[in-house]
Amino acid sequence: MSETCVLVLDAEPLPRLDRLRGRARVVHADEKSLAGHLPEADVLLVWDFLSAAVREAWPGEGPRPRWVHTPSAGVDRLLPELSASPDTVITNARGVFDQPIAEYVAGLVLAMAKDFPGSWELQRRRTWRHRETIRVGGTRALVVGSGPIGRTIGRTLMALGVTVDLVGRTARDTDPEFGRVHGNAALPTLLGEADWVVCVAPLTEESRGLFDAAAFSRMKPGARFINVGRGQHVVEDDLVEALRAERIAGAALDVFAQEPLADGSPLWDVPGLLISPHMSGDTLGWRDDLAEQFLDNFDRWEAGEPLLNVVDKGLGYVPST
Amino acid sequence: MSETCVLVLDAEPLPRLDRLRGRARVVHADEKSLAGHLPEADVLLVWDFLSAAVREAWPGEGPRPRWVHTPSAGVDRLLPELSASPDTVITNARGVFDQPIAEYVAGLVLAMAKDFPGSWELQRRRTWRHRETIRVGGTRALVVGSGPIGRTIGRTLMALGVTVDLVGRTARDTDPEFGRVHGNAALPTLLGEADWVVCVAPLTEESRGLFDAAAFSRMKPGARFINVGRGQHVVEDDLVEALRAERIAGAALDVFAQEPLADGSPLWDVPGLLISPHMSGDTLGWRDDLAEQFLDNFDRWEAGEPLLNVVDKGLGYVPST
């Protein structure tokens, strides 16, 4: 058996790579050299997981990697091109981001409820102005996306006394933690009941543009919207319009249709809109965790064992067992 | 029996007062007229609980209210003058603020961990800059103050995966929720172990100035300090110095030695210091809740039953049962 070739698409150095020493030939590629290297690679690690280069460079015919790993939760930057390669397995970073993103969303909920943005703006103006804030306990959240991240968000909000409705692909009447999981058909009704609407769905053809003018018009005037899914889940112009018309009370976006957000984007200064640069899951040491997760899966690959976190290319995510 | 006289020190209207109709004669006083009315009052409701007027107006001799209620958790604005009146009972707002303040503190912890202040400052500058943030689960918090608010803060942080050390007046080796409660003697050691130091103690002679240069020097360089107790717990100049010298990583103050904080205070723009205007417990409807709590206790007073939430004037707070 010839030595395994691991191709790494990396803009930044990958930690812990010494674990592959003597076990694989590691080839580094950038977006330009990727296409030339793909035919020789057994394994592709999309370390630069924000890149769209893999879809463009993916070979239509001939040899190609049998395993592609992306150290992200979403795999939308790999599909649908890779779906046409039935022998290629895709794995993702399922699990690594659950707790960090849940903390991030809980933090946004509390920050918006307690109007921290308002307090810190008043601080800049050296102005003391007491306001009454929202009690989070007893409010209601709708979490769209019932994978591990969505479930961890739901669990964290429940610990704060929030009633949580979870929406997923498959409705279930019995769920050990949430009582039930709603199907997509329940979304229009549930949108009208929530104080907090959180999008953490995988990006698929069904979920693209899910949060549009119709969705925002169903929400309560006091509702706040949080997107930690993908920018393409939101029709950004419709969100801007909903905020400017005060049809909803506020929103926080960590992801955008175009990243990085351009300096000239009108989103930066929409009233009631909080912006962060796609970092909700990225806690100190996250790159180490992601590298270890890939390398642990490489151990399995080398031993001929089934890989963990295998994406269902038809669904566009790792189905829950 | 003559009609009960309820004297209300109020700068703002008191809701729900119709519950006293036909049961008591209600007299309203401001800070100037308070002293003149105190001798005729059976009950004093310090609705304007931020006022220091009661201590100044309290009669040294002669008739005075037998019951004083403050709709706040702290009673430091009533002591020690009222301690010299053994026949006067003081009650407070124990319970009303527990959940709101716990949410506020959890929000501050998450906001500081995820650097929301940094993200929103970058948003103002239309700048996309990804950073790595702190995972809150697995960090360690020290909560100084083991009354109902401190316990609710501790419980809320534990739900986020934080290890919590609680410090109170009386050390206990067995506590159903926290395993143990540390005594004040453990404070110097515990200060060096915490990622988050939260002050929610009652203000007493022992706790005044507790957070001084020595305390900040014991904290870890990455530690962050939150004060939702009383401004006088903190030697503000020492905190400013600790922040400027980066001996600690950040702080959030909701209470101050002088309130409102003067426009010219140097605190407004200390790097790493977040300021809010004494509002951590004040959620929508809080005035209704506080009024109901007093009026429920008035029912007990009228019926000759023991009052709830009676302050131990020696300790300076309502002791836990």
Side-chain angles (χ1 to χ4, degrees), chain B residues 103-120:
Chain B
E103 292 177 355
Y104 202 89
V105 169
L108 285 172
V109 164
L110 290 164
M112 291 197 275
K114 308 305 177 184
D115 194 23
F116 290 163
S119 288
W120 302 338

PDB file of all heavy atoms in Angstrom, chain B residues 103-120:
ATOM      1  N   GLU B 103     -29.655  36.872  36.350  1.00  0.00           N
ATOM      2  CA  GLU B 103     -29.608  36.969  34.885  1.00  0.00           C
ATOM      3  C   GLU B 103     -28.623  38.048  34.449  1.00  0.00           C
ATOM      4  O   GLU B 103     -27.861  37.869  33.495  1.00  0.00           O
ATOM      5  CB  GLU B 103     -30.997  37.301  34.331  1.00  0.00           C
ATOM      6  CG  GLU B 103     -32.019  36.173  34.497  1.00  0.00           C
ATOM      7  CD  GLU B 103     -33.403  36.570  33.999  1.00  0.00           C
ATOM      8  OE1 GLU B 103     -33.598  37.742  33.615  1.00  0.00           O
ATOM      9  OE2 GLU B 103     -34.300  35.702  34.007  1.00  0.00           O
ATOM     10  N   TYR B 104     -28.655  39.162  35.143  1.00  0.00           N
ATOM     11  CA  TYR B 104     -27.779  40.284  34.790  1.00  0.00           C
ATOM     12  C   TYR B 104     -26.314  39.875  34.910  1.00  0.00           C
ATOM     13  O   TYR B 104     -25.504  40.129  34.008  1.00  0.00           O
ATOM     14  CB  TYR B 104     -28.087  41.469  35.706  1.00  0.00           C
ATOM     15  CG  TYR B 104     -27.684  42.806  35.154  1.00  0.00           C
ATOM     16  CD1 TYR B 104     -28.555  43.542  34.370  1.00  0.00           C
ATOM     17  CD2 TYR B 104     -26.427  43.346  35.416  1.00  0.00           C
ATOM     18  CE1 TYR B 104     -28.203  44.778  33.856  1.00  0.00           C
ATOM     19  CE2 TYR B 104     -26.063  44.581  34.908  1.00  0.00           C
ATOM     20  CZ  TYR B 104     -26.955  45.295  34.133  1.00  0.00           C
ATOM     21  OH  TYR B 104     -26.608  46.525  33.618  1.00  0.00           O
ATOM     22  N   VAL B 105     -25.980  39.216  36.018  1.00  0.00           N
ATOM     23  CA  VAL B 105     -24.588  38.804  36.240  1.00  0.00           C
ATOM     24  C   VAL B 105     -24.185  37.742  35.217  1.00  0.00           C
ATOM     25  O   VAL B 105     -23.087  37.802  34.638  1.00  0.00           O
ATOM     26  CB  VAL B 105     -24.394  38.294  37.681  1.00  0.00           C
ATOM     27  CG1 VAL B 105     -23.033  37.615  37.837  1.00  0.00           C
ATOM     28  CG2 VAL B 105     -24.544  39.442  38.668  1.00  0.00           C
ATOM     29  N   ALA B 106     -25.047  36.770  34.958  1.00  0.00           N
ATOM     30  CA  ALA B 106     -24.728  35.758  33.940  1.00  0.00           C
ATOM     31  C   ALA B 106     -24.525  36.427  32.585  1.00  0.00           C
ATOM     32  O   ALA B 106     -23.623  36.058  31.820  1.00  0.00           O
ATOM     33  CB  ALA B 106     -25.849  34.717  33.854  1.00  0.00           C
ATOM     34  N   GLY B 107     -25.352  37.424  32.284  1.00  0.00           N
ATOM     35  CA  GLY B 107     -25.197  38.159  31.031  1.00  0.00           C
ATOM     36  C   GLY B 107     -23.855  38.874  30.956  1.00  0.00           C
ATOM     37  O   GLY B 107     -23.182  38.856  29.926  1.00  0.00           O
ATOM     38  N   LEU B 108     -23.447  39.486  32.064  1.00  0.00           N
ATOM     39  CA  LEU B 108     -22.150  40.174  32.076  1.00  0.00           C
ATOM     40  C   LEU B 108     -21.010  39.182  31.898  1.00  0.00           C
ATOM     41  O   LEU B 108     -20.049  39.439  31.158  1.00  0.00           O
ATOM     42  CB  LEU B 108     -21.969  40.953  33.384  1.00  0.00           C
ATOM     43  CG  LEU B 108     -22.782  42.246  33.510  1.00  0.00           C
ATOM     44  CD1 LEU B 108     -22.665  42.825  34.919  1.00  0.00           C
ATOM     45  CD2 LEU B 108     -22.306  43.282  32.484  1.00  0.00           C
ATOM     46  N   VAL B 109     -21.090  38.044  32.569  1.00  0.00           N
ATOM     47  CA  VAL B 109     -20.047  37.015  32.430  1.00  0.00           C
ATOM     48  C   VAL B 109     -19.935  36.598  30.962  1.00  0.00           C
ATOM     49  O   VAL B 109     -18.845  36.572  30.382  1.00  0.00           O
ATOM     50  CB  VAL B 109     -20.353  35.799  33.325  1.00  0.00           C
ATOM     51  CG1 VAL B 109     -19.534  34.582  32.914  1.00  0.00           C
ATOM     52  CG2 VAL B 109     -20.095  36.151  34.797  1.00  0.00           C
ATOM     53  N   LEU B 110     -21.055  36.275  30.347  1.00  0.00           N
ATOM     54  CA  LEU B 110     -21.040  35.835  28.954  1.00  0.00           C
ATOM     55  C   LEU B 110     -20.583  36.966  28.025  1.00  0.00           C
ATOM     56  O   LEU B 110     -19.804  36.742  27.094  1.00  0.00           O
ATOM     57  CB  LEU B 110     -22.423  35.318  28.543  1.00  0.00           C
ATOM     58  CG  LEU B 110     -22.827  33.979  29.189  1.00  0.00           C
ATOM     59  CD1 LEU B 110     -24.328  33.743  29.057  1.00  0.00           C
ATOM     60  CD2 LEU B 110     -22.061  32.810  28.567  1.00  0.00           C
ATOM     61  N   ALA B 111     -21.060  38.172  28.283  1.00  0.00           N
ATOM     62  CA  ALA B 111     -20.702  39.305  27.418  1.00  0.00           C
ATOM     63  C   ALA B 111     -19.201  39.580  27.486  1.00  0.00           C
ATOM     64  O   ALA B 111     -18.572  39.886  26.462  1.00  0.00           O
ATOM     65  CB  ALA B 111     -21.487  40.551  27.820  1.00  0.00           C
ATOM     66  N   MET B 112     -18.626  39.457  28.682  1.00  0.00           N
ATOM     67  CA  MET B 112     -17.187  39.695  28.801  1.00  0.00           C
ATOM     68  C   MET B 112     -16.416  38.533  28.178  1.00  0.00           C
ATOM     69  O   MET B 112     -15.408  38.728  27.494  1.00  0.00           O
ATOM     70  CB  MET B 112     -16.809  39.922  30.268  1.00  0.00           C
ATOM     71  CG  MET B 112     -17.353  41.242  30.803  1.00  0.00           C
ATOM     72  SD  MET B 112     -16.560  41.818  32.348  1.00  0.00           S
ATOM     73  CE  MET B 112     -17.513  40.917  33.545  1.00  0.00           C
ATOM     74  N   ALA B 113     -16.892  37.304  28.409  1.00  0.00           N
ATOM     75  CA  ALA B 113     -16.205  36.131  27.835  1.00  0.00           C
ATOM     76  C   ALA B 113     -16.200  36.197  26.314  1.00  0.00           C
ATOM     77  O   ALA B 113     -15.210  35.853  25.671  1.00  0.00           O
ATOM     78  CB  ALA B 113     -16.883  34.851  28.308  1.00  0.00           C
ATOM     79  N   LYS B 114     -17.301  36.610  25.737  1.00  0.00           N
ATOM     80  CA  LYS B 114     -17.427  36.637  24.274  1.00  0.00           C
ATOM     81  C   LYS B 114     -17.016  37.980  23.685  1.00  0.00           C
ATOM     82  O   LYS B 114     -17.170  38.200  22.478  1.00  0.00           O
ATOM     83  CB  LYS B 114     -18.869  36.306  23.873  1.00  0.00           C
ATOM     84  CG  LYS B 114     -19.418  35.019  24.481  1.00  0.00           C
ATOM     85  CD  LYS B 114     -18.533  33.804  24.195  1.00  0.00           C
ATOM     86  CE  LYS B 114     -19.074  32.559  24.891  1.00  0.00           C
ATOM     87  NZ  LYS B 114     -18.172  31.401  24.694  1.00  0.00           N
ATOM     88  N   ASP B 115     -16.559  38.891  24.520  1.00  0.00           N
ATOM     89  CA  ASP B 115     -16.117  40.226  24.091  1.00  0.00           C
ATOM     90  C   ASP B 115     -17.160  40.950  23.252  1.00  0.00           C
ATOM     91  O   ASP B 115     -16.843  41.517  22.199  1.00  0.00           O
ATOM     92  CB  ASP B 115     -14.777  40.166  23.334  1.00  0.00           C
ATOM     93  CG  ASP B 115     -14.160  41.566  23.185  1.00  0.00           C
ATOM     94  OD1 ASP B 115     -14.498  42.455  24.001  1.00  0.00           O
ATOM     95  OD2 ASP B 115     -13.365  41.776  22.246  1.00  0.00           O
ATOM     96  N   PHE B 116     -18.400  40.945  23.722  1.00  0.00           N
ATOM     97  CA  PHE B 116     -19.422  41.751  23.043  1.00  0.00           C
ATOM     98  C   PHE B 116     -19.028  43.233  23.008  1.00  0.00           C
ATOM     99  O   PHE B 116     -19.239  43.886  21.981  1.00  0.00           O
ATOM    100  CB  PHE B 116     -20.787  41.586  23.725  1.00  0.00           C
ATOM    101  CG  PHE B 116     -21.418  40.225  23.547  1.00  0.00           C
ATOM    102  CD1 PHE B 116     -22.453  39.823  24.392  1.00  0.00           C
ATOM    103  CD2 PHE B 116     -21.009  39.343  22.550  1.00  0.00           C
ATOM    104  CE1 PHE B 116     -23.064  38.575  24.246  1.00  0.00           C
ATOM    105  CE2 PHE B 116     -21.606  38.101  22.395  1.00  0.00           C
ATOM    106  CZ  PHE B 116     -22.634  37.720  23.242  1.00  0.00           C
ATOM    107  N   PRO B 117     -18.470  43.780  24.117  1.00  0.00           N
ATOM    108  CA  PRO B 117     -18.091  45.204  24.021  1.00  0.00           C
ATOM    109  C   PRO B 117     -17.120  45.453  22.865  1.00  0.00           C
ATOM    110  O   PRO B 117     -17.256  46.436  22.133  1.00  0.00           O
ATOM    111  CB  PRO B 117     -17.434  45.492  25.379  1.00  0.00           C
ATOM    112  CG  PRO B 117     -18.004  44.471  26.309  1.00  0.00           C
ATOM    113  CD  PRO B 117     -18.216  43.223  25.464  1.00  0.00           C
ATOM    114  N   GLY B 118     -16.164  44.548  22.677  1.00  0.00           N
ATOM    115  CA  GLY B 118     -15.219  44.706  21.575  1.00  0.00           C
ATOM    116  C   GLY B 118     -15.894  44.600  20.225  1.00  0.00           C
ATOM    117  O   GLY B 118     -15.622  45.388  19.309  1.00  0.00           O
ATOM    118  N   SER B 119     -16.817  43.641  20.081  1.00  0.00           N
ATOM    119  CA  SER B 119     -17.492  43.475  18.791  1.00  0.00           C
ATOM    120  C   SER B 119     -18.315  44.705  18.434  1.00  0.00           C
ATOM    121  O   SER B 119     -18.345  45.142  17.282  1.00  0.00           O
ATOM    122  CB  SER B 119     -18.414  42.244  18.832  1.00  0.00           C
ATOM    123  OG  SER B 119     -17.640  41.062  18.827  1.00  0.00           O
ATOM    124  N   TRP B 120     -18.987  45.272  19.438  1.00  0.00           N
ATOM    125  CA  TRP B 120     -19.869  46.393  19.125  1.00  0.00           C
ATOM    126  C   TRP B 120     -19.092  47.678  18.919  1.00  0.00           C
ATOM    127  O   TRP B 120     -19.541  48.560  18.187  1.00  0.00           O
ATOM    128  CB  TRP B 120     -20.969  46.491  20.201  1.00  0.00           C
ATOM    129  CG  TRP B 120     -21.750  45.194  20.255  1.00  0.00           C
ATOM    130  CD1 TRP B 120     -21.852  44.255  19.250  1.00  0.00           C
ATOM    131  CD2 TRP B 120     -22.484  44.656  21.354  1.00  0.00           C
ATOM    132  NE1 TRP B 120     -22.604  43.183  19.666  1.00  0.00           N
ATOM    133  CE2 TRP B 120     -23.009  43.400  20.953  1.00  0.00           C
ATOM    134  CE3 TRP B 120     -22.764  45.110  22.650  1.00  0.00           C
ATOM    135  CZ2 TRP B 120     -23.784  42.600  21.791  1.00  0.00           C
ATOM    136  CZ3 TRP B 120     -23.541  44.322  23.494  1.00  0.00           C
ATOM    137  CH2 TRP B 120     -24.044  43.072  23.050  1.00  0.00           C
TER     138      TRP B 120
END
